[in-house]
DNA sequence: TGTCAAATGTCAGAGGCTGACACTAGCCTC
DNA sequence: GAGGCTAGTGTCAGCCTCTGACATTTGACA
């Protein structure tokens, strides 16, 4: 962000993002119109659409960021690690670095509240799943490369990533209905759920 | 469907459904307008929206049906079965009964092609994932009840169902990019992927 | 300072979807 | 079988998301 022009752009986008999230949190995603968001930042509706491809994109700007951090964390894991272990460690790693990244845009709590709006709004939740599904495709390629297998032939990378993603989503969902807005809460839940994968798949629950 | 009135309604809805799927398959979901669908059946746009809550709902009418069949098949599994085994057997069971159910509405091949459109259209795929996520909630309750555990306390039912759903989705995705439109192909793929869950979760792939 | 390009605004319009109201056509009773 | 009732349909007006086209403003930079 060198020139004045670029700084202005940045400020406009940040303001739009922040206003959008605040409005979503305050009055719900569906009850917030793009006109409202634009007006609250004093730009035209058209300008909003030049910064965000759609209303959804405003809601997903920060989730996108955190996913990028996760992918980055995964790329950094040592190649000797077993695949599942690398996926798990990357999640825990990324939790740390993400907080500051978020704060560059909005207060962490606003982000957390917005995240709960995503989980609670069916159309947003669906879009969220769709995006995650795309991310999983990227992660699949990373895992396959780590292990030196072909993801189009060997089903294991895609399957492992899908299974892992399922655990993450159950965790997010569980977190989203709770009252704890902190990152530590998600972290603990993630570990707890990952540890339950074995028992869940076990044949007989009634003997335990 | 006793009265003439009811028969007419049924015919209108069936015609709308069929026209919609045909248009989606022929020219793509996004390039098909509701006006087009309505016009091809010679009713007003408003009438379309009285039969389907939205354009999406037309695309998901049959997937909804097949999911209902799956849930029903699961309910019928003997209670002694281990949970994962019941989920697996229910999928295979339901494949049989679904074909005829579909044919009551449209030719099976049209349905299969429409299904590929869902998988290939991002906005539909996302909505599909959202709906599946809701179905998983229902399945979770069924599994929890079978096993006599509380799904709000014990993480295993929800986790198992999420993991199982992940395998199903990978299977669907794989099938959707292939050229085989038959049901047998999905069935075989399902079995193959389910058998890979263990190996995928296994620590080290390089030793095998 | 004047030129160029980037950013924004304005306008028109497509497409999804909804509420309100009028009208048409099966249904049911007498 | 005529007439009242009501479910189903059409019409219309309007909101909201999103896009293309064109005009206008405002930094950047020689």
């Amino acid at each position: 962000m060198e020139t004045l022009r670029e700084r202005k752009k940045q400020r406009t986008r940040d303001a739009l993002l922040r206003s959008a999230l605040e409005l979503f949190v305050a009055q719900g995603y569906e009850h917030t119109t793009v006109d409202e968001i634009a007006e609250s930042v004093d730009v035209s509706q058209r300008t909003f659409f030049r910064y965000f491809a759609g209303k959804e994109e405003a809601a997903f700007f920060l989730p996108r960021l955190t996913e990028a951090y996760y992918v980055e964390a995964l790329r950094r894991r040592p190649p000797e690690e077993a695949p599942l272990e690398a996926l798990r460690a990357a999640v825990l790693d990324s939790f740390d670095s993400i907080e500051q990244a978020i704060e560059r845009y909005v207060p962490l709590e606003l982000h957390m509240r917005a995240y709960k709006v995503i989980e609670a709004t069916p159309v947003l939740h669906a879009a969220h799943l769709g995006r995650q599904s795309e991310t999983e495709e990227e992660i699949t390629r990373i895992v396959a490369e780590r292990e030196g297998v072909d993801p189009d032939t060997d089903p294991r990378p895609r399957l492992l990533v899908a299974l892992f993603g399922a655990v993450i989503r159950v965790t997010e969902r569980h977190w989203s209905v709770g009252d704890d807005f902190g990152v530590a809460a998600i972290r603990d839940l993630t570990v707890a759920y990952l540890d339950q994968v074995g028992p869940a798949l076990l044949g007989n629950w009634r003997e335990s």
Side-chain angles (χ1 to χ4, degrees), chain A:
Chain A
M1 62 199 91
E2 264 301 316
T3 72
L4 167 60
R5 201 179 251 171
E6 276 168 336
R7 265 175 288 140
K8 266 194 163 181
K9 254 177 76 176
Q10 193 99 358
R11 250 182 287 148
T12 305
R13 197 202 48 187
D14 291 358
L16 281 171
L17 174 61
R18 181 164 184 152
S19 265
L21 297 188
E22 281 170 349
L23 287 167
F24 294 162
V25 166
Q27 54 190 27
Y29 174 76
E30 319 224 63
H31 293 84
T32 303
T33 68
V34 173
D35 287 293
E36 256 178 306
I37 302 169
E39 196 178 354
S40 77
V41 179
D42 215 66
V43 297
S44 71
Q45 188 215 51
R46 196 66 181 84
T47 293
F48 173 90
F49 283 112
R50 282 198 251 260
Y51 282 99
F52 300 98
K55 207 170 85 170
E56 272 183 18
E57 286 310 300
F60 288 130
F61 183 85
L62 295 177
R64 260 187 214 293
L65 189 68
T66 71
E67 274 163 35
Y69 267 72
Y70 173 71
V71 169
E72 205 34 55
L74 178 62
R75 286 214 165 89
R76 276 198 236 284
R77 296 305 308 175
E80 322 86 63
E81 256 176 349
L84 177 56
E85 183 50 31
L87 291 172
R88 174 195 172 113
V91 175
L92 301 179
D93 285 358
S94 59
F95 277 141
D96 304 326
S97 48
I98 283 174
E99 289 199 42
Q100 308 153 25
I102 299 288
E103 292 268 5
R104 278 187 32 149
Y105 293 94
V106 300
L108 194 62
E109 186 178 329
L110 176 58
H111 167 60
M112 297 299 209
R113 288 187 188 275
Y115 213 95
K116 294 200 178 188
V117 172
I118 292 176
E119 291 281 344
T121 308
V123 53
L124 280 185
H125 183 236
H128 186 48
L129 296 176
R131 291 181 337 89
Q132 283 181 337
S133 158
E134 284 169 26
T135 305
E136 285 182 13
E137 193 55 34
E138 187 180 357
I139 296 175
T140 297
R141 285 195 297 274
I142 297 175
V143 169
E145 197 179 351
R146 277 175 61 97
E147 302 299 310
V149 301
D150 177 5
D152 295 323
T153 311
D154 192 328
R156 293 176 299 176
R158 187 162 280 112
L159 203 45
L160 174 67
V161 171
L163 293 169
F164 187 79
V167 179
I168 297 299
R169 280 188 292 277
V170 170
T171 305
E172 285 180 345
R173 208 93 238 234
H174 185 152
W175 170 80
S176 79
V177 299
D179 294 325
D180 196 325
F181 288 88
V183 175
I186 312 182
R187 191 195 187 92
D188 293 346
L189 271 179
T190 304
V191 173
Y193 271 106
L194 281 171
D195 288 343
Q196 285 296 313
V197 169
L201 288 170
L202 249 181
N204 199 332
W205 298 351
R206 298 169 201 167
E207 289 172 356
S208 60

